[in-house]
PDB file of all heavy atoms in Angstrom:
ATOM      1  N   VAL S  19    -140.155-106.587 -14.709  1.00  0.00           N
ATOM      2  CA  VAL S  19    -141.408-107.135 -14.233  1.00  0.00           C
ATOM      3  C   VAL S  19    -142.029-106.231 -13.166  1.00  0.00           C
ATOM      4  O   VAL S  19    -143.243-105.911 -13.202  1.00  0.00           O
ATOM      5  CB  VAL S  19    -141.205-108.556 -13.662  1.00  0.00           C
ATOM      6  CG1 VAL S  19    -142.463-109.056 -12.976  1.00  0.00           C
ATOM      7  CG2 VAL S  19    -140.820-109.528 -14.784  1.00  0.00           C
ATOM      8  N   GLY S  20    -141.216-105.794 -12.201  1.00  0.00           N
ATOM      9  CA  GLY S  20    -141.729-104.948 -11.122  1.00  0.00           C
ATOM     10  C   GLY S  20    -142.287-103.642 -11.661  1.00  0.00           C
ATOM     11  O   GLY S  20    -143.354-103.210 -11.236  1.00  0.00           O
ATOM     12  N   SER S  21    -141.605-103.043 -12.603  1.00  0.00           N
ATOM     13  CA  SER S  21    -142.031-101.768 -13.202  1.00  0.00           C
ATOM     14  C   SER S  21    -143.336-101.950 -13.967  1.00  0.00           C
ATOM     15  O   SER S  21    -144.247-101.079 -13.863  1.00  0.00           O
ATOM     16  CB  SER S  21    -140.929-101.205 -14.126  1.00  0.00           C
ATOM     17  OG  SER S  21    -139.733-101.007 -13.412  1.00  0.00           O
ATOM     18  N   LEU S  22    -143.440-103.030 -14.718  1.00  0.00           N
ATOM     19  CA  LEU S  22    -144.690-103.273 -15.493  1.00  0.00           C
ATOM     20  C   LEU S  22    -145.851-103.510 -14.534  1.00  0.00           C
ATOM     21  O   LEU S  22    -146.991-103.093 -14.830  1.00  0.00           O
ATOM     22  CB  LEU S  22    -144.498-104.458 -16.438  1.00  0.00           C
ATOM     23  CG  LEU S  22    -143.561-104.160 -17.641  1.00  0.00           C
ATOM     24  CD1 LEU S  22    -143.358-105.451 -18.419  1.00  0.00           C
ATOM     25  CD2 LEU S  22    -144.144-103.089 -18.527  1.00  0.00           C
ATOM     26  N   LEU S  23    -145.632-104.209 -13.443  1.00  0.00           N
ATOM     27  CA  LEU S  23    -146.681-104.404 -12.444  1.00  0.00           C
ATOM     28  C   LEU S  23    -147.187-103.101 -11.885  1.00  0.00           C
ATOM     29  O   LEU S  23    -148.412-102.900 -11.650  1.00  0.00           O
ATOM     30  CB  LEU S  23    -146.187-105.344 -11.318  1.00  0.00           C
ATOM     31  CG  LEU S  23    -146.012-106.809 -11.674  1.00  0.00           C
ATOM     32  CD1 LEU S  23    -145.332-107.548 -10.507  1.00  0.00           C
ATOM     33  CD2 LEU S  23    -147.361-107.466 -11.993  1.00  0.00           C
ATOM     34  N   MET S  24    -146.260-102.166 -11.649  1.00  0.00           N
ATOM     35  CA  MET S  24    -146.614-100.859 -11.139  1.00  0.00           C
ATOM     36  C   MET S  24    -147.458-100.077 -12.123  1.00  0.00           C
ATOM     37  O   MET S  24    -148.415 -99.418 -11.783  1.00  0.00           O
ATOM     38  CB  MET S  24    -145.394-100.079 -10.687  1.00  0.00           C
ATOM     39  CG  MET S  24    -144.735-100.655  -9.463  1.00  0.00           C
ATOM     40  SD  MET S  24    -143.171 -99.857  -8.975  1.00  0.00           S
ATOM     41  CE  MET S  24    -143.763 -98.255  -8.416  1.00  0.00           C
ATOM     42  N   VAL S  25    -147.068-100.164 -13.386  1.00  0.00           N
ATOM     43  CA  VAL S  25    -147.844 -99.448 -14.445  1.00  0.00           C
ATOM     44  C   VAL S  25    -149.249-100.055 -14.551  1.00  0.00           C
ATOM     45  O   VAL S  25    -150.212 -99.316 -14.715  1.00  0.00           O
ATOM     46  CB  VAL S  25    -147.079 -99.520 -15.798  1.00  0.00           C
ATOM     47  CG1 VAL S  25    -147.978 -98.922 -16.908  1.00  0.00           C
ATOM     48  CG2 VAL S  25    -145.782 -98.763 -15.722  1.00  0.00           C
ATOM     49  N   GLY S  26    -149.310-101.390 -14.489  1.00  0.00           N
ATOM     50  CA  GLY S  26    -150.621-102.027 -14.523  1.00  0.00           C
ATOM     51  C   GLY S  26    -151.529-101.589 -13.369  1.00  0.00           C
ATOM     52  O   GLY S  26    -152.730-101.370 -13.529  1.00  0.00           O
ATOM     53  N   TYR S  27    -150.921-101.480 -12.189  1.00  0.00           N
ATOM     54  CA  TYR S  27    -151.659-100.993 -11.019  1.00  0.00           C
ATOM     55  C   TYR S  27    -152.194 -99.576 -11.235  1.00  0.00           C
ATOM     56  O   TYR S  27    -153.360 -99.295 -10.998  1.00  0.00           O
ATOM     57  CB  TYR S  27    -150.709-101.037  -9.828  1.00  0.00           C
ATOM     58  CG  TYR S  27    -151.329-100.601  -8.495  1.00  0.00           C
ATOM     59  CD1 TYR S  27    -151.821-101.558  -7.632  1.00  0.00           C
ATOM     60  CD2 TYR S  27    -151.383 -99.282  -8.128  1.00  0.00           C
ATOM     61  CE1 TYR S  27    -152.389-101.177  -6.396  1.00  0.00           C
ATOM     62  CE2 TYR S  27    -151.922 -98.889  -6.914  1.00  0.00           C
ATOM     63  CZ  TYR S  27    -152.416 -99.831  -6.071  1.00  0.00           C
ATOM     64  OH  TYR S  27    -152.964 -99.457  -4.862  1.00  0.00           O
ATOM     65  N   ASP S  28    -151.336 -98.735 -11.763  1.00  0.00           N
ATOM     66  CA  ASP S  28    -151.769 -97.342 -12.025  1.00  0.00           C
ATOM     67  C   ASP S  28    -152.875 -97.302 -13.065  1.00  0.00           C
ATOM     68  O   ASP S  28    -153.811 -96.518 -12.935  1.00  0.00           O
ATOM     69  CB  ASP S  28    -150.565 -96.506 -12.505  1.00  0.00           C
ATOM     70  CG  ASP S  28    -150.974 -95.091 -12.862  1.00  0.00           C
ATOM     71  OD1 ASP S  28    -151.450 -94.365 -11.959  1.00  0.00           O
ATOM     72  OD2 ASP S  28    -150.817 -94.676 -14.042  1.00  0.00           O
ATOM     73  N   PHE S  29    -152.807 -98.148 -14.074  1.00  0.00           N
ATOM     74  CA  PHE S  29    -153.829 -98.195 -15.148  1.00  0.00           C
ATOM     75  C   PHE S  29    -155.194 -98.459 -14.512  1.00  0.00           C
ATOM     76  O   PHE S  29    -156.203 -97.814 -14.867  1.00  0.00           O
ATOM     77  CB  PHE S  29    -153.467 -99.260 -16.165  1.00  0.00           C
ATOM     78  CG  PHE S  29    -154.469 -99.356 -17.280  1.00  0.00           C
ATOM     79  CD1 PHE S  29    -154.456 -98.468 -18.352  1.00  0.00           C
ATOM     80  CD2 PHE S  29    -155.433-100.357 -17.260  1.00  0.00           C
ATOM     81  CE1 PHE S  29    -155.381 -98.560 -19.377  1.00  0.00           C
ATOM     82  CE2 PHE S  29    -156.353-100.438 -18.260  1.00  0.00           C
ATOM     83  CZ  PHE S  29    -156.317 -99.555 -19.348  1.00  0.00           C
ATOM     84  N   LEU S  30    -155.269 -99.421 -13.597  1.00  0.00           N
ATOM     85  CA  LEU S  30    -156.553 -99.767 -12.966  1.00  0.00           C
ATOM     86  C   LEU S  30    -156.990 -98.684 -11.969  1.00  0.00           C
ATOM     87  O   LEU S  30    -158.208 -98.560 -11.709  1.00  0.00           O
ATOM     88  CB  LEU S  30    -156.441-101.119 -12.268  1.00  0.00           C
ATOM     89  CG  LEU S  30    -156.277-102.338 -13.170  1.00  0.00           C
ATOM     90  CD1 LEU S  30    -156.101-103.603 -12.305  1.00  0.00           C
ATOM     91  CD2 LEU S  30    -157.455-102.490 -14.101  1.00  0.00           C
ATOM     92  N   LEU S  31    -156.058 -97.921 -11.450  1.00  0.00           N
ATOM     93  CA  LEU S  31    -156.365 -96.944 -10.425  1.00  0.00           C
ATOM     94  C   LEU S  31    -156.894 -95.642 -10.979  1.00  0.00           C
ATOM     95  O   LEU S  31    -157.578 -94.881 -10.282  1.00  0.00           O
ATOM     96  CB  LEU S  31    -155.091 -96.668  -9.590  1.00  0.00           C
ATOM     97  CG  LEU S  31    -155.190 -95.624  -8.472  1.00  0.00           C
ATOM     98  CD1 LEU S  31    -156.259 -95.932  -7.460  1.00  0.00           C
ATOM     99  CD2 LEU S  31    -153.814 -95.491  -7.791  1.00  0.00           C
ATOM    100  N   GLU S  32    -156.556 -95.347 -12.242  1.00  0.00           N
ATOM    101  CA  GLU S  32    -156.825 -94.018 -12.774  1.00  0.00           C
ATOM    102  C   GLU S  32    -158.284 -93.560 -12.718  1.00  0.00           C
ATOM    103  O   GLU S  32    -158.604 -92.446 -12.312  1.00  0.00           O
ATOM    104  CB  GLU S  32    -156.267 -93.887 -14.207  1.00  0.00           C
ATOM    105  CG  GLU S  32    -154.766 -93.800 -14.313  1.00  0.00           C
ATOM    106  CD  GLU S  32    -154.183 -92.580 -13.634  1.00  0.00           C
ATOM    107  OE1 GLU S  32    -154.935 -91.595 -13.425  1.00  0.00           O
ATOM    108  OE2 GLU S  32    -153.010 -92.594 -13.320  1.00  0.00           O
ATOM    109  N   ILE S  33    -159.177 -94.427 -13.139  1.00  0.00           N
ATOM    110  CA  ILE S  33    -160.615 -94.044 -13.137  1.00  0.00           C
ATOM    111  C   ILE S  33    -161.122 -93.849 -11.712  1.00  0.00           C
ATOM    112  O   ILE S  33    -161.704 -92.824 -11.398  1.00  0.00           O
ATOM    113  CB  ILE S  33    -161.445 -95.087 -13.867  1.00  0.00           C
ATOM    114  CG1 ILE S  33    -161.104 -95.071 -15.364  1.00  0.00           C
ATOM    115  CG2 ILE S  33    -162.966 -94.813 -13.669  1.00  0.00           C
ATOM    116  CD1 ILE S  33    -161.860 -96.118 -16.178  1.00  0.00           C
ATOM    117  N   PRO S  34    -160.869 -94.792 -10.758  1.00  0.00           N
ATOM    118  CA  PRO S  34    -161.304 -94.545  -9.396  1.00  0.00           C
ATOM    119  C   PRO S  34    -160.630 -93.293  -8.798  1.00  0.00           C
ATOM    120  O   PRO S  34    -161.314 -92.607  -7.978  1.00  0.00           O
ATOM    121  CB  PRO S  34    -160.877 -95.815  -8.656  1.00  0.00           C
ATOM    122  CG  PRO S  34    -160.850 -96.857  -9.712  1.00  0.00           C
ATOM    123  CD  PRO S  34    -160.360 -96.139 -10.928  1.00  0.00           C
ATOM    124  N   ALA S  35    -159.383 -93.034  -9.106  1.00  0.00           N
ATOM    125  CA  ALA S  35    -158.669 -91.908  -8.490  1.00  0.00           C
ATOM    126  C   ALA S  35    -159.394 -90.593  -8.796  1.00  0.00           C
ATOM    127  O   ALA S  35    -159.513 -89.707  -7.949  1.00  0.00           O
ATOM    128  CB  ALA S  35    -157.252 -91.849  -9.000  1.00  0.00           C
ATOM    129  N   GLU S  36    -159.890 -90.462  -9.997  1.00  0.00           N
ATOM    130  CA  GLU S  36    -160.595 -89.259 -10.401  1.00  0.00           C
ATOM    131  C   GLU S  36    -161.890 -89.107  -9.623  1.00  0.00           C
ATOM    132  O   GLU S  36    -162.196 -88.013  -9.054  1.00  0.00           O
ATOM    133  CB  GLU S  36    -160.921 -89.340 -11.922  1.00  0.00           C
ATOM    134  CG  GLU S  36    -161.759 -88.189 -12.442  1.00  0.00           C
ATOM    135  CD  GLU S  36    -160.960 -86.953 -12.766  1.00  0.00           C
ATOM    136  OE1 GLU S  36    -159.737 -87.073 -12.931  1.00  0.00           O
ATOM    137  OE2 GLU S  36    -161.564 -85.872 -12.827  1.00  0.00           O
ATOM    138  N   ARG S  37    -162.629 -90.209  -9.514  1.00  0.00           N
ATOM    139  CA  ARG S  37    -163.942 -90.129  -8.832  1.00  0.00           C
ATOM    140  C   ARG S  37    -163.799 -89.998  -7.331  1.00  0.00           C
ATOM    141  O   ARG S  37    -164.679 -89.494  -6.637  1.00  0.00           O
ATOM    142  CB  ARG S  37    -164.750 -91.380  -9.181  1.00  0.00           C
ATOM    143  CG  ARG S  37    -165.040 -91.564 -10.673  1.00  0.00           C
ATOM    144  CD  ARG S  37    -165.974 -90.525 -11.227  1.00  0.00           C
ATOM    145  NE  ARG S  37    -167.328 -90.617 -10.678  1.00  0.00           N
ATOM    146  CZ  ARG S  37    -168.272 -91.391 -11.221  1.00  0.00           C
ATOM    147  NH1 ARG S  37    -168.020 -92.138 -12.272  1.00  0.00           N
ATOM    148  NH2 ARG S  37    -169.480 -91.429 -10.736  1.00  0.00           N
ATOM    149  N   LEU S  38    -162.682 -90.467  -6.765  1.00  0.00           N
ATOM    150  CA  LEU S  38    -162.448 -90.400  -5.338  1.00  0.00           C
ATOM    151  C   LEU S  38    -161.688 -89.113  -4.937  1.00  0.00           C
ATOM    152  O   LEU S  38    -161.271 -89.022  -3.770  1.00  0.00           O
ATOM    153  CB  LEU S  38    -161.713 -91.635  -4.861  1.00  0.00           C
ATOM    154  CG  LEU S  38    -162.368 -92.994  -5.124  1.00  0.00           C
ATOM    155  CD1 LEU S  38    -161.553 -94.127  -4.557  1.00  0.00           C
ATOM    156  CD2 LEU S  38    -163.776 -93.023  -4.527  1.00  0.00           C
ATOM    157  N   ASN S  39    -161.535 -88.227  -5.861  1.00  0.00           N
ATOM    158  CA  ASN S  39    -160.885 -86.942  -5.598  1.00  0.00           C
ATOM    159  C   ASN S  39    -159.445 -87.104  -5.151  1.00  0.00           C
ATOM    160  O   ASN S  39    -158.936 -86.317  -4.318  1.00  0.00           O
ATOM    161  CB  ASN S  39    -161.673 -86.139  -4.565  1.00  0.00           C
ATOM    162  CG  ASN S  39    -161.240 -84.671  -4.548  1.00  0.00           C
ATOM    163  OD1 ASN S  39    -160.826 -84.102  -5.554  1.00  0.00           O
ATOM    164  ND2 ASN S  39    -161.369 -84.025  -3.388  1.00  0.00           N
ATOM    165  N   MET S  40    -158.758 -88.098  -5.665  1.00  0.00           N
ATOM    166  CA  MET S  40    -157.329 -88.282  -5.372  1.00  0.00           C
ATOM    167  C   MET S  40    -156.497 -87.346  -6.243  1.00  0.00           C
ATOM    168  O   MET S  40    -155.693 -86.550  -5.760  1.00  0.00           O
ATOM    169  CB  MET S  40    -156.899 -89.732  -5.582  1.00  0.00           C
ATOM    170  CG  MET S  40    -157.485 -90.691  -4.579  1.00  0.00           C
ATOM    171  SD  MET S  40    -156.915 -92.375  -4.913  1.00  0.00           S
ATOM    172  CE  MET S  40    -157.754 -93.289  -3.628  1.00  0.00           C
ATOM    173  N   TRP S  41    -156.734 -87.452  -7.591  1.00  0.00           N
ATOM    174  CA  TRP S  41    -156.091 -86.509  -8.536  1.00  0.00           C
ATOM    175  C   TRP S  41    -156.964 -86.381  -9.747  1.00  0.00           C
ATOM    176  O   TRP S  41    -157.854 -87.187 -10.002  1.00  0.00           O
ATOM    177  CB  TRP S  41    -154.673 -86.938  -8.909  1.00  0.00           C
ATOM    178  CG  TRP S  41    -154.558 -88.284  -9.515  1.00  0.00           C
ATOM    179  CD1 TRP S  41    -154.793 -88.653 -10.807  1.00  0.00           C
ATOM    180  CD2 TRP S  41    -154.136 -89.503  -8.861  1.00  0.00           C
ATOM    181  NE1 TRP S  41    -154.552 -89.967 -10.998  1.00  0.00           N
ATOM    182  CE2 TRP S  41    -154.148 -90.534  -9.803  1.00  0.00           C
ATOM    183  CE3 TRP S  41    -153.748 -89.810  -7.545  1.00  0.00           C
ATOM    184  CZ2 TRP S  41    -153.801 -91.849  -9.523  1.00  0.00           C
ATOM    185  CZ3 TRP S  41    -153.389 -91.110  -7.233  1.00  0.00           C
ATOM    186  CH2 TRP S  41    -153.426 -92.110  -8.235  1.00  0.00           C
ATOM    187  N   HIS S  42    -156.721 -85.312 -10.482  1.00  0.00           N
ATOM    188  CA  HIS S  42    -157.568 -85.003 -11.625  1.00  0.00           C
ATOM    189  C   HIS S  42    -156.691 -84.602 -12.828  1.00  0.00           C
ATOM    190  O   HIS S  42    -155.638 -83.939 -12.655  1.00  0.00           O
ATOM    191  CB  HIS S  42    -158.542 -83.879 -11.319  1.00  0.00           C
ATOM    192  CG  HIS S  42    -159.385 -84.110 -10.114  1.00  0.00           C
ATOM    193  ND1 HIS S  42    -160.569 -84.840 -10.177  1.00  0.00           N
ATOM    194  CD2 HIS S  42    -159.212 -83.787  -8.810  1.00  0.00           C
ATOM    195  CE1 HIS S  42    -161.088 -84.885  -8.951  1.00  0.00           C
ATOM    196  NE2 HIS S  42    -160.308 -84.288  -8.113  1.00  0.00           N
ATOM    197  N   TRP S  43    -157.136 -84.938 -14.025  1.00  0.00           N
ATOM    198  CA  TRP S  43    -156.392 -84.639 -15.265  1.00  0.00           C
ATOM    199  C   TRP S  43    -157.085 -83.429 -15.942  1.00  0.00           C
ATOM    200  O   TRP S  43    -158.298 -83.415 -16.082  1.00  0.00           O
ATOM    201  CB  TRP S  43    -156.343 -85.820 -16.188  1.00  0.00           C
ATOM    202  CG  TRP S  43    -155.588 -86.962 -15.598  1.00  0.00           C
ATOM    203  CD1 TRP S  43    -156.097 -88.015 -14.874  1.00  0.00           C
ATOM    204  CD2 TRP S  43    -154.181 -87.144 -15.650  1.00  0.00           C
ATOM    205  NE1 TRP S  43    -155.089 -88.844 -14.455  1.00  0.00           N
ATOM    206  CE2 TRP S  43    -153.881 -88.316 -14.944  1.00  0.00           C
ATOM    207  CE3 TRP S  43    -153.118 -86.449 -16.221  1.00  0.00           C
ATOM    208  CZ2 TRP S  43    -152.581 -88.823 -14.793  1.00  0.00           C
ATOM    209  CZ3 TRP S  43    -151.830 -86.930 -16.094  1.00  0.00           C
ATOM    210  CH2 TRP S  43    -151.592 -88.096 -15.400  1.00  0.00           C
ATOM    211  N   PHE S  44    -156.285 -82.462 -16.371  1.00  0.00           N
ATOM    212  CA  PHE S  44    -156.852 -81.322 -17.038  1.00  0.00           C
ATOM    213  C   PHE S  44    -157.560 -81.690 -18.328  1.00  0.00           C
ATOM    214  O   PHE S  44    -158.492 -81.036 -18.758  1.00  0.00           O
ATOM    215  CB  PHE S  44    -155.774 -80.269 -17.299  1.00  0.00           C
ATOM    216  CG  PHE S  44    -155.310 -79.537 -16.083  1.00  0.00           C
ATOM    217  CD1 PHE S  44    -154.092 -79.770 -15.519  1.00  0.00           C
ATOM    218  CD2 PHE S  44    -156.142 -78.595 -15.447  1.00  0.00           C
ATOM    219  CE1 PHE S  44    -153.662 -79.129 -14.381  1.00  0.00           C
ATOM    220  CE2 PHE S  44    -155.774 -77.909 -14.301  1.00  0.00           C
ATOM    221  CZ  PHE S  44    -154.488 -78.176 -13.741  1.00  0.00           C
ATOM    222  N   ASP S  45    -157.065 -82.743 -18.965  1.00  0.00           N
ATOM    223  CA  ASP S  45    -157.671 -83.245 -20.193  1.00  0.00           C
ATOM    224  C   ASP S  45    -158.797 -84.248 -19.961  1.00  0.00           C
ATOM    225  O   ASP S  45    -159.337 -84.811 -20.916  1.00  0.00           O
ATOM    226  CB  ASP S  45    -156.618 -83.851 -21.105  1.00  0.00           C
ATOM    227  CG  ASP S  45    -155.617 -82.839 -21.652  1.00  0.00           C
ATOM    228  OD1 ASP S  45    -156.012 -81.657 -21.748  1.00  0.00           O
ATOM    229  OD2 ASP S  45    -154.482 -83.206 -21.951  1.00  0.00           O
TER     230      ASP S  45
END
């Protein structure tokens, strides 16, 4: 449960992270 919650958090974070210059994907 804890691991799945963390993955869900990351899923929601990915789009904002790119726009906020946190990290970027080469693809």
Side-chain angles (χ1 to χ4, degrees):
V19 171
S21 302
L22 289 174
L23 286 172
M24 290 175 70
V25 173
Y27 181 95
D28 177 62
F29 180 80
L30 292 177
L31 177 58
E32 286 297 341
I33 293 177
E36 176 82 20
R37 300 292 293 272
L38 301 182
N39 195 29
M40 292 181 180
W41 58 81
H42 305 275
W43 296 92
F44 287 108
D45 292 334

